[in-house]
Every structure is written in structure tokens, then in C-alpha cells.
Amino acid sequence: MLPDDDGSCSLGALRVGQAGLVTRVGCDRPVARRLMEMGLLPGTRVRVVRVAPLGDPMELRVRDYALSIRRAEAAAISVRDVDGQSAR
Amino acid sequence: MTGTAAEPGGRAAHAARAVEVLLAGNPNAGKTTVFNSLSGARARVANYPGVTVDRRSTELALPSGRRVTLVDLPGTYSLSARSPEEQIAADAVLGRRARPPDAVAVIADACSLARNLYLCLQIAESGVPVVLALNMMDEARAAGIAVDEGLLAERIGVRVVPMVASRGEGRDALLAELDRALDAGPTSDPPRVPLPDSLAVDVAEVEAAVAVAHPDVSPAARRAWAMWSLLSIGDDELAGVDPRVRDATAVVQARATDAGRDLDLEIIAARYAFIDEVVGDAVTRGEAGVRRTERIDRVLTHPLWGFVIFGLVMYVVFEALFSWSEPAIGLIEDGVGFAQGLVESAMPAGPLRDLLVEGVVAGVGNVVVFVPQIALLFLFIGFLEDSGYLARVAFVIDRLMKGVGLHGKAFVPLLSGFACAIPAVMATRTIESRRDRLVTMLALPLMSCSARLPVYVLVIATVFAGQERVLGVMSVGAVVLLGMYLLSVVATLGAAAVLRRTVLDGPRPALVLELPPYRMPLLRNLLSTTWQRVKSFLVDAGTIILALTIVMWALLSFPHDAEVAARFEADRQAAMGSLEGEALEARLGELSGEEAGAQLRQSVAGRIGRAMEPAIEPLGFDWRMGVGILGAFAAREVFVSTMGIVFGIAEADEESAPLRGALTAATWPDGRPLMTPLAGVSLMVFFVLACQCMSTIAVVRRESGSWRWPLLMLGYMTALAYVASLLVYQVGAALGWGLG
């Protein structure tokens, strides 16, 4: 997936083990608000830990805990790839 | 009421009214453990009005002797994210419906402090005295995390207590700090998160509206309310907000949208910026190796092993519900029989005795008999949930369930439905979204529960006995049985899908699921939660089941025809005059069976059955089966015993040869056989789909909070069963199949 001008791609495009810096949470308001309040907001480092055996949802490492969201939501979240640095 | 800085909240005031302390915190932070350790067995459980969320509270004495009421709030990540739980927490903390609390204890997981502090900060911002319990300090230390409690306390404006609630560490310190917090009272200098200028203007504008609408709210709380409003008020209705506040919020939001600003993002980002700075200064991280949770997850979410283990775990749960509860159920049934015998021998014969024996005692028995399965299921679910595994189940199975419009957490309740719908319906509590919960609750009674099995066994043994094998291996009966189970699964998923698109239509909540670290569940918590569930079932659903048992008994027993009774009494006298010993016993048994059948025929239920016959004849049922179906509403397996009575056979169960014989020989008035294979299949299909269980109605009423949903369930299932049976019988008859 080609990155945008500022180097962003969607969270869903990250491979397992890759980390990114969130630039935009573009989901619908209720979901976006919930995700941001749980710590997934622009400026946050996020790492893809694994994908469920059936392909969806994905497990992310965010602010010291594990959060699972579906690909549909991940597609609306933009991240800047920060390869080489892992999120905690 | 909230007081100002000059007025200490403390002892003088507490003598006049109860001091209320709230217990708040993220889910999985150990709040339940703390509450249980502080309340012991004294916890009271009530319901928040209008929602089916438990309100647990207890009386507590602090070290100073001060008595407080500790109220456990539902676990929440924020005050503003709009689920019923979050609304309850927001209302309670901000004092939107009643007076604000005197103090709040926030239980936080020290290992994921930033996210936990988000909730704590919102609460502290309102000016309420807060004690922050840093729980799971043992795990934090093991992960190399060190927290400067003093710095944290100073920056967030709260008192900090390190705890390991599972070991009771920090409990006394928590109580002592609560005492001090209550002494100090509300603060006039709560933490103020720095806001960008334009946002500060917006918040101030809404604050002004709050000040006008609620003049007795403190300045600190006003700001908290304003920020809560901006985050919470949106396109959909939020009840209980003053129109002036609502309008001010709408104006501010519209202006921000026009300017291309996202207020949600600005507020949340400002808070997290504040939190990140505090955490950066107060928390030091050591080097942590690969966590235990990570290692376990590699196995439990593994594409192959994950499913294998998942299958095993589900099998164990299922087996427990199906068989392990048998001994206890048997004991209860024996107990009920014993109690009935006692009452019978203690009272003179007559309607009052019958009411007590067949109505009240039987009714209580009908309620208590569910307890073993409910207890077992909740112990298991409690274990799965507290250990963290339930979240992984939802994670792994989500894609499958989503396809049918169900939630990942619906899997365990659905599976439990194969054993019994009652505990399964109660188990839907693990599903957060109310809509998803209702869909699951209303669809899962279609899963073929164990009570349907006697009906299947009776029918299959009667009409499919001794036939050739299918594929040379399986008997026809086994294939039919399997077919019924498959039908039930298809029907359940179909019903869920339809419900989701019609009656319970709405936006599907996105999956936002925390996968907590694996932890060893505490037995104390499991037992306490299970006991709560059992108790609420006994009281709420139990009363309905008892009432319905009495109603069913009345329908089946009244009116009592004196003529019939006299006739059989004469027959009995004749028998006693001419027979002796075993022959006499056999004849008396026969007579009692026939008498019961005769009385049933002209009871209310019998008359309804006969009146119903034209309606059920197209399904292949006659009035006797109609009465059986009516009786089965009490409990599906009662169909068998009712059929026994109708055909004049005493003590019949599904294995009873005389009953099978009677069924095989039974005919319609015109001589056609009654129990043809086609009629048998039609009857089984009816039982697969019909809501033949008053206990299910009672539990769905309890869990959904209104009669609307159980009545809808009864309606759609009855209609579905009728139509399906009709189709099966009519189409089968047209094809000339299974009639002879």
C-alpha cells in the first residue's frame, strides 16, 4: 500500500511486528472517541502484535496494553511507519 | 452540598447523612477484588433504574470509626464513552442525578498506568476527593516498573496507595487514605489540564451555561461537566441534560466543525499530553523480558493449537453443564419428591393439598432445579473471564460471529444453550452492547437444549425404531436426531441475523476489546459473583416460574369432575372386591392412570387442547398432542409425562414401553394412525423451534428488564414453529412420505 504524502498509510497495512505513529483516527465519531480515550490517538506509538487466526481482528500494543480492533476500523486509522523502533 | 474549600466534608456532616464513597476503575484492574475484600458477605445488590446493570454497595467502617457506604461502579475506561455503564459512572461521579459522592477510590492497573490515569484524571478534575489505588504492584515490579507515588500524587492532585489487592496488601492503607480524603473534603484546586486557547474559550462558554443551569455545582465540577458535555453530547439523544447546556454545547460544536476542528481530539489529546508528561516523570521502566502473557498467547491464539485448546475448553464447559450437574439435579428432584410426600401425608386430601404439592412445592422445585447448572456455568465463565481467556475467545471467534451479526462473546452463551437456555441467557451479561446482548438472548433458546431430548427420544423410538441403517452405519433415528440439532443451529443463527436486521436493527458497535494480561482468578471472586447470580435468579426469575407453575397446575387440574371421580372410585371398589395382591396393584395402577387421563381430558387444558385441534390438525397433531404441547410450556420434558397421563399411563417417561405402545396404537377418529413418521418429524420440528419453556420467559424478562422482549420471543418462536411444522407435514403428505 503506497504511503500518503506525509508518509502515512493505514494501520491495517502494517505487517505483524511493525510499529507506527498514529497521525489520524478517521473512524466514525463514537468509535473514534472510544479509541482515542483508550489511548489510541494521534502521536501515539502503536505496534501490530498479531492477527487472529481467521484473519480478523488484529491485536495492537498501545500504551502498555493489548487492544484488539477489526480491520474495518484499522483501515480508517492513519499511521506513519516508524520501522526499526518498536512500541512498548 | 459539595461544599467549598473552607468547609471540611468530615465528621460533623457525616452524622447527619450517609457518607458515600464510590469505587471506580477500568475493567480488569482488580476493582471487584477490592470491593469483595472490603465488603465480605455484606454486599447488597440492586439494579440501576432503567438498565440491567448491577449496583453493588456495602456499609463499611473506616479506621477513624466513620461509617461510609461504598458503591461499586461498573468498570469503565472513561466517563464519556456512552455505554450504559459509562453513563452510570458519569452520573454518579459528576453528581448529575443525585448529590456528588464524598470521595472516589479509583483502582488502577499499575502496568498500564497511562490509560488508567485517563479515567482517574476526569474524576479528579471534578474536585471530588480521590484516592488512587495502584493495584497489581506485584506485576509492575516483576515487569521492572517503578512509580514515584509522591510525584504522581502531587501532579494529579490525588492520594496514592500502592496495592496488591489479590493478596490484601494495601487494603488498610487504602481505608486510611479514604479517611484522610474525607477529612480534607472537596478540593478547590483540582488538576487543571492545560488547554489550547481556542479550546479553553469553548470550554468556558459551556461552563457558563452549566453555571446558569446548575448554580449549586462547584467551579471545579462545572469545568468537568463542560468537558464531559462536549465529549458526550452528539447527534443522538442523551437524557437528563439541561437544554441550556445542550444548546451551548451544540453552538460550540458547530462552530468548531465549521472551523475544521475536532473537539473530541483536542480534549482527549490535551488530557493525554498531560498524562504522558506525568507518567514520563513519575514512572521508570526497567527492562522486561518477553512477558508470560505474550508466551501464553502464542499458544492460545495459534491458528492450530489455539482452536484445539478452544475446542477442548468448550467441550469441558459443555460436558459440565450436560452431565456434571446431573447428580445435584437428581438430589434436588429427590428432595422435591420427599417434600411433596411430607405435605401429602400431613394434610387431608383436597384442592388445597394439591395446590401445595403440585403447585407450590413443585414450583419451588422447578426453580431450584436450575441452580446447579447456573452455578456451574457462572463458575466457568467467571474463571474464563477473570483469567483473561474469554477476551481471547472473542478475539479468535469474532470473524465467524460477525458474519452472523453476533458478538464474539456470544459464543459461550450460545454453546451453553445446548445444555439449557436458562443459564445461557444469564451468561449473555458478558456482552457489553445491549443490542447484541438482546439479539443473543432472543435467538439462543432455539439451540436444542437437553430438555428437548426426551421428546426426541420418545418420538424417534416410537416411529423410527427397527429401521434399516443409513449408509449402512447410522440408524435412521440417529440421522433424524442429528438433523434436529443441525436445524436448531441453523435456526438460531438465522433468527439472530433476522433480529439484527429488523427489530434490533442498529449500528453494529465496532470491536474495541482489551486483551488483559493472563491472571490467576481468585476463588473468592468466582464464588461471590456466582452466588450473586444464583441469588438474583432465585428471587427475580424464580417468582415468575413459581407463579407460572401454579397456573399450569390449575389449567391441568381444574375443573375436577366429580362424576368421573365417582365412576373411578366405583371401579376401584369393584377391583378391591374381586382382586388381590399383585393383580390388585396392577389394576389399581391402571385405574389411576386412566382416571388421570379422564380428568385431564375435561380440565381447562384438555378443553383448550380439544378446541385447538382444528388449528393443529394441519400439523399432524391431534388434541392429545395439543394438551401435551400445552403442558410442555411448563418444561419441555413435561410433554412426555403429560402424554403419559393423556393416554392413561401412570409414571411414564420417554423409555416407557407402555407409552410407546400406546402412541403407536393411537389413531385419529377415522382410524388413520396418529403417530406416523411424518407426524413424528413434524412434532420434533415444532419442539425444536417453539418456546416451550416458561422458565426461559422468566429469565429473559429478568435479564432484559421488560416484558416486551420475552413476549416477542414467545411470539416469533411460536409462529416459526407453527409454520415450519405446517410446511413439514403438508409438504411431506403431498409427497406421500412417511404416512404409513
Side-chain angles (χ1 to χ4, degrees):
Chain A
M1 185 154 185
L2 291 176
D4 301 338
D5 293 337
D6 63 345
S8 292
C9 59
S10 92
L11 180 54
L14 290 184
R15 292 185 305 277
V16 172
Q18 266 191 300
L21 202 68
V22 178
T23 56
R24 193 174 111 83
V25 179
C27 319
D28 292 339
R29 187 192 180 204
V31 185
R33 189 183 46 202
R34 188 175 250 293
L35 286 173
M36 291 197 290
E37 291 198 301
M38 286 182 76
L40 188 69
L41 67 160
T44 306
R45 216 172 231 125
V46 59
R47 172 168 65 92
V48 178
V49 175
R50 63 170 50 84
V51 172
L54 296 176
D56 203 14
M58 44 197 317
E59 181 185 331
L60 309 169
R61 189 98 194 138
V62 173
R63 289 182 189 274
D64 298 326
Y65 74 98
L67 177 68
S68 172
I69 64 175
R70 293 186 182 132
R71 287 197 175 281
E73 276 68 52
I77 299 173
S78 310
V79 296
R80 213 171 60 232
D81 199 346
V82 283
D83 234 328
Q85 304 189 45
S86 55
R88 292 205 218 133
Chain B
M1 297 184 98
T2 328
T4 60
E7 180 194 298
R11 302 170 203 220
H14 101 265
R17 54 160 172 76
V19 176
E20 190 177 78
V21 174
L22 302 181
L23 197 62
N26 284 178
N28 308 309
K31 194 164 58 65
T32 304
T33 310
V34 172
F35 182 81
N36 285 347
S37 79
L38 293 178
S39 67
R42 299 185 313 273
R44 265 176 294 129
V45 184
N47 238 57
Y48 286 101
V51 275
T52 49
V53 178
D54 282 342
R55 182 184 195 277
R56 302 197 305 157
S57 63
T58 186
E59 300 291 315
L60 191 57
L62 295 181
S64 66
R66 175 191 265 128
R67 295 202 64 79
V68 305
T69 303
L70 183 70
V71 179
D72 188 21
L73 292 179
T76 55
Y77 294 106
S78 155
L79 295 183
S80 65
R82 300 294 300 282
S83 67
E85 285 76 16
E86 256 113 8
Q87 288 186 48
I88 286 169
D91 288 350
V93 169
L94 296 177
R96 282 171 20 90
R97 291 186 192 280
R99 62 180 178 84
D102 297 289
V104 178
V106 180
I107 313 297
D109 180 348
C111 299
S112 52
L113 198 51
R115 188 198 73 215
N116 280 260
L117 281 180
Y118 185 79
L119 174 67
C120 181
L121 184 61
Q122 284 178 68
I123 298 175
E125 278 172 351
S126 70
V128 164
V130 172
V131 177
L132 174 65
L134 290 179
N135 199 12
M136 285 138 184
M137 282 303 289
D138 52 340
E139 291 178 25
R141 277 176 231 131
I145 298 171
V147 179
D148 182 344
E149 290 142 29
L151 188 58
L152 184 61
E154 189 194 309
R155 299 280 281 275
I156 312 251
V158 300
R159 294 180 157 74
V160 176
V161 176
M163 287 187 80
V164 182
S166 56
R167 291 192 214 141
E169 283 174 33
R171 182 185 180 277
D172 295 333
L174 176 63
L175 293 176
E177 286 298 335
L178 275 174
D179 243 338
R180 285 185 212 119
L182 287 166
D183 282 337
T187 173
S188 59
D189 186 24
R192 288 182 72 92
V193 170
L195 302 174
D197 293 337
S198 44
L199 183 60
V201 166
D202 293 333
V203 172
E205 205 170 306
V206 181
E207 249 186 273
V210 173
V212 168
H214 306 274
D216 51 346
V217 166
S218 76
R222 251 181 256 151
R223 192 163 183 269
W225 284 45
M227 288 169 62
W228 174 86
S229 303
L230 286 169
L231 276 176
S232 306
I233 298 179
D235 308 315
D236 31 347
E237 280 313 298
L238 190 64
V241 180
D242 188 281
R244 286 165 289 192
V245 174
R246 190 188 293 280
D247 290 341
T249 307
V251 165
V252 168
Q253 284 173 336
R255 201 171 59 216
T257 312
D258 289 341
R261 290 165 55 207
D262 181 348
L263 283 180
D264 289 348
L265 173 55
E266 289 183 21
I267 297 177
I268 298 170
R271 284 191 171 135
Y272 265 109
F274 182 77
I275 289 170
D276 285 343
E277 200 185 309
V278 171
V279 168
D281 294 341
V283 178
T284 49
R285 326 184 49 89
E287 278 312 306
V290 175
R291 287 170 216 90
R292 187 181 59 169
T293 296
E294 189 80 10
R295 272 179 276 143
I296 299 177
D297 259 337
R298 281 194 203 143
V299 178
L300 293 186
T301 57
H302 187 272
L304 175 64
W305 294 115
F307 276 112
V308 168
I309 294 176
F310 172 63
L312 276 172
V313 170
M314 291 301 121
Y315 171 73
V316 170
V317 172
F318 186 59
E319 187 63 23
L321 287 178
F322 227 97
S323 359
W324 297 0
S325 44
E326 286 294 305
I329 292 179
L331 264 176
I332 291 172
E333 283 171 351
D334 289 344
V336 171
F338 179 71
Q340 286 176 319
L342 274 181
V343 175
E344 255 176 34
S345 50
M347 291 187 61
L352 182 59
R353 186 179 81 173
D354 287 340
L355 170 67
L356 282 180
V357 171
E358 312 275 343
V360 176
V361 176
V364 170
N366 280 346
V367 175
V368 176
V369 82
F370 286 116
V371 170
Q373 284 177 313
I374 293 175
L376 265 178
L377 182 62
F378 275 95
L379 280 173
F380 270 107
I381 287 191
F383 188 90
L384 293 179
E385 188 159 25
D386 289 356
S387 67
Y389 185 60
L390 202 63
R392 271 74 180 178
V393 168
F395 177 69
V396 161
I397 216 83
D398 181 66
R399 183 155 187 198
L400 272 180
M401 305 294 285
K402 185 183 53 158
V404 209
L406 282 175
H407 195 280
K409 289 194 167 182
F411 189 83
V412 175
L414 279 179
L415 187 70
S416 316
F418 271 131
C420 177
I422 278 74
V425 164
M426 292 173 68
T428 56
R429 274 176 184 254
T430 51
I431 302 171
E432 288 107 7
S433 145
R434 176 169 165 79
R435 213 176 253 124
D436 282 345
R437 218 168 106 196
L438 276 172
V439 169
T440 311
M441 254 197 268
L442 296 180
L444 80 82
L446 284 168
M447 296 292 267
S448 240
C449 67
S450 53
R452 288 167 166 101
L453 206 47
V455 178
Y456 301 156
V457 169
L458 177 64
V459 172
I460 288 175
T462 303
V463 297
F464 288 115
Q467 296 203 6
E468 326 90 59
R469 305 202 153 241
V470 172
L471 302 181
V473 177
M474 303 196 299
S475 66
V476 174
V479 172
V480 171
L481 186 62
L482 191 61
M484 292 302 133
Y485 273 93
L486 279 176
L487 173 65
S488 76
V489 173
V490 169
T492 307
L493 298 179
V498 170
L499 283 168
R500 208 64 185 76
R501 282 168 179 73
T502 55
V503 182
L504 284 160
D505 194 14
R508 280 143 213 251
L511 183 76
V512 177
L513 177 70
E514 183 195 348
L515 299 173
Y518 285 110
R519 294 182 175 125
M520 194 55 177
L522 285 177
L523 185 62
R524 184 183 0 145
N525 288 353
L526 295 183
L527 290 176
S528 141
T529 312
T530 302
W531 171 236
Q532 265 172 48
R533 293 279 164 268
V534 168
K535 212 163 60 165
S536 89
F537 166 76
L538 287 175
V539 170
D540 297 316
T543 42
I544 300 177
I545 295 173
L546 176 58
L548 286 174
T549 304
I550 295 176
V551 168
M552 291 297 312
W553 162 79
L555 286 179
L556 289 163
S557 322
F558 289 110
H560 195 80
D561 193 326
E563 218 185 278
V564 169
R567 186 166 27 106
F568 274 91
E569 189 53 30
D571 284 344
R572 261 194 289 274
Q573 296 295 341
M576 287 198 282
S578 59
L579 297 172
E580 275 186 349
E582 261 189 48
L584 177 61
E585 289 261 357
R587 179 66 185 141
L588 285 178
E590 234 177 62
L591 279 175
S592 104
E594 283 172 30
E595 180 176 5
Q599 289 289 10
L600 181 61
R601 187 175 204 284
Q602 50 82 52
S603 70
V604 176
R607 293 179 205 204
I608 296 178
R610 278 181 287 145
M612 254 170 46
E613 191 169 69
I616 57 179
E617 205 182 315
L619 278 55
F621 309 156
D622 75 345
W623 74 270
R624 290 169 291 190
M625 288 158 78
V627 175
I629 288 173
L630 282 173
F633 186 70
R636 290 179 177 93
E637 61 266 34
V638 172
F639 176 80
V640 174
S641 50
T642 309
M643 292 306 276
I645 298 175
V646 166
F647 282 95
I649 297 162
E651 305 287 319
D653 64 17
E654 64 273 17
E655 310 285 336
S656 155
L659 179 55
R660 291 184 199 181
L663 281 171
T664 314
T667 61
W668 291 91
D670 61 7
R672 294 174 291 139
L674 173 67
M675 255 316 193
T676 62
L678 185 60
V681 171
S682 169
L683 182 65
M684 285 195 287
V685 166
F686 189 87
F687 265 84
V688 168
L689 300 172
C691 187
Q692 299 283 79
C693 186
M694 60 181 180
S695 309
T696 307
I697 305 263
V699 166
V700 172
R701 153 75 181 97
R702 191 334 181 173
E703 294 295 314
S704 69
S706 102
W707 281 103
R708 178 165 38 132
W709 301 111
L711 288 176
L712 170 71
M713 182 178 74
L714 180 62
Y716 97 78
M717 283 177 80
T718 308
L720 184 62
Y722 188 87
V723 169
S725 263
L726 183 68
L727 279 174
V728 165
Y729 193 76
Q730 293 301 325
V731 171
L735 293 176
W737 177 80
L739 282 173

